[in-house]
């Protein structure tokens, strides 16, 4: 069976991400993906979603983090983010070596 990639709706806009990093709170079993998202669109945005997928050293998928919030950003403005997960078991958290983070917004 072949599954084609899902294309986002035309009103979903990807935001520029920089200074991203992965951190783990060992005591609280929480994974954080932090960074800065910039409104690189031509319109103000009111809402932002950040998601990250984390992988092991052999690119095996481990889990995801997520954050959503209201973000009143005019074009060119930035906001910091902290996308988290407290659901990944400790033994899997120890395997995290890589990640991919995406920030996006919906524009009407």
């Amino acid at each position: 069976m072949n599954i084609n990639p899902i294309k986002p709706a035309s009103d979903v806009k990807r935001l520029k991400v920089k200074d991203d990093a992965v951190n783990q709170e060992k005591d609280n079993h929480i994974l954080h993906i932090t960074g800065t998202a910039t409104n690189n669109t031509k319109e103000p945005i009111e809402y932002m979603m950040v998601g990250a997928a984390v992988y092991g050293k052999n690119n095996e998928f481990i889990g995801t983090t997520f954050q959503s919030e209201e973000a009143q950003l005019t074009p060119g403005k930035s906001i910091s983010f902290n996308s988290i997960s407290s659901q990944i078991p400790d033994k899997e958290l120890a395997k995290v070596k890589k990640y991919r983070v995406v920030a996006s917004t919906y524009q009407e």
Side-chain angles (χ1 to χ4, degrees), residues 3 5-6 13 27 34-35 38 49 55 60 62 82 89:
I3 299 175
I6 297 171
K13 304 296 182 193
D27 297 339
T34 59
T38 301
M49 297 166 291
Y55 304 91
E60 66 275 15
I62 294 173
N82 183 12

Side-chain angles (χ1 to χ4, degrees), residues 5 11 15 22 36 41 51 53 66 72-73 76 79-80 88 99 103 105:
D11 58 350
L15 304 176
V22 62
T36 302
T41 74
F66 185 73
Q72 304 292 324
L73 292 179
I79 189 171
S80 60
I88 301 171
Y99 66 95
T105 188

Side-chain angles (χ1 to χ4, degrees), residues 9-70:
S10 60
D11 58 350
V12 176
K13 304 296 182 193
R14 194 173 202 170
L15 304 176
K16 182 179 179 182
V17 172
K18 65 179 183 176
D19 301 327
D20 50 304
V22 62
N23 299 295
Q24 296 178 23
E25 278 184 55
K26 302 270 188 212
D27 297 339
N28 297 326
H29 316 288
I30 298 174
L31 180 69
H32 296 266
I33 306 287
T34 59
T36 302
T38 301
N39 180 0
N40 55 321
T41 74
K42 295 179 182 180
E43 301 292 328
I45 66 170
E46 298 178 2
Y47 185 77
M48 175 182 73
M49 297 166 291
V50 179
V54 292
Y55 304 91
K57 68 178 180 177
N58 295 317
N59 295 320
E60 66 275 15
F61 176 75
I62 294 173
T64 61
T65 67
F66 185 73
Q67 176 191 1
S68 64
E69 69 177 71
E70 290 185 20

